[in-house]
Amino acid sequence: VNEKVSLLVTEVPSFQTKKLSRFISKQDLIGANMASIHIPLFLDGKITTPFRGSAHIDGSFLAETGDYCCDEEQNNSVTLNWGADPYLSNRNLGDAVTALNEEGIWDLVDRGRKYAIQMEKRGDFDCLQL
């Protein structure tokens, strides 16, 4: 997956957004994924999650549009950004996850699935070599 998958993480306390594309092991990739989605207090009641010896939170926390992009010559990439989902785009991150019960979590998963179907119909995944 090296150079084929990129994830954003936000290092704490610097709040520097980092784009990761190289992973030393399967466990490192899993750790990067968990760091890239760690919404403070939401998943495990902790403010940060440890990754590569530092505290991290969700990579989209302070990310800008350019942080998601890859090199110009690469046209085989898909950006998964909750802010591009029409349902979530007019909400802030806190609204998306506030007070979710089990039903709310499954609703959020279903909305993500529906958005992926929209992306597929638009041809967003056509560039991937599957």
Side-chain angles (χ1 to χ4, degrees):
V1 298
N2 283 328
E3 306 298 330
K4 293 183 180 181
V5 173
S6 294
L7 299 167
L8 294 180
V9 297
T10 303
E11 194 171 31
V12 176
S14 69
F15 291 101
Q16 178 184 3
T17 301
K18 292 183 177 181
K19 184 174 167 183
L20 307 172
S21 299
R22 298 205 53 80
F23 310 95
I24 58 174
S25 66
K26 181 178 178 180
Q27 191 59 40
D28 189 50
L29 174 61
I30 291 169
N33 271 283
M34 296 307 293
S36 77
I37 63 162
H38 187 87
I39 299 168
L41 304 174
F42 180 69
L43 292 175
D44 60 3
K46 297 178 181 175
I47 294 175
T48 65
T49 191
F51 173 67
R52 293 184 180 171
S54 299
H56 289 80
I57 60 172
D58 187 309
S60 66
F61 181 63
L62 295 173
E64 298 177 9
T65 303
D67 293 333
Y68 293 96
C69 298
C70 58
D71 296 332
E72 297 263 337
E73 64 270 4
Q74 292 180 336
N75 60 358
N76 60 345
S77 66
V78 175
T79 299
L80 302 176
N81 176 3
W82 68 271
D85 181 334
Y87 176 76
L88 296 175
S89 64
N90 63 350
R91 294 165 171 76
N92 68 45
L93 184 59
D95 292 340
V97 297
T98 301
L100 288 180
N101 57 18
E102 184 176 350
E103 181 181 328
I105 291 169
W106 284 113
D107 181 58
L108 196 58
V109 168
D110 187 53
R111 290 184 184 281
R113 183 187 58 78
K114 288 176 181 172
Y115 181 56
I117 290 170
Q118 289 177 2
M119 291 177 71
E120 184 175 28
K121 287 180 181 176
R122 282 195 314 249
D124 292 357
F125 303 122
D126 291 351
C127 63
L128 301 177
Q129 299 173 359
L130 302 176

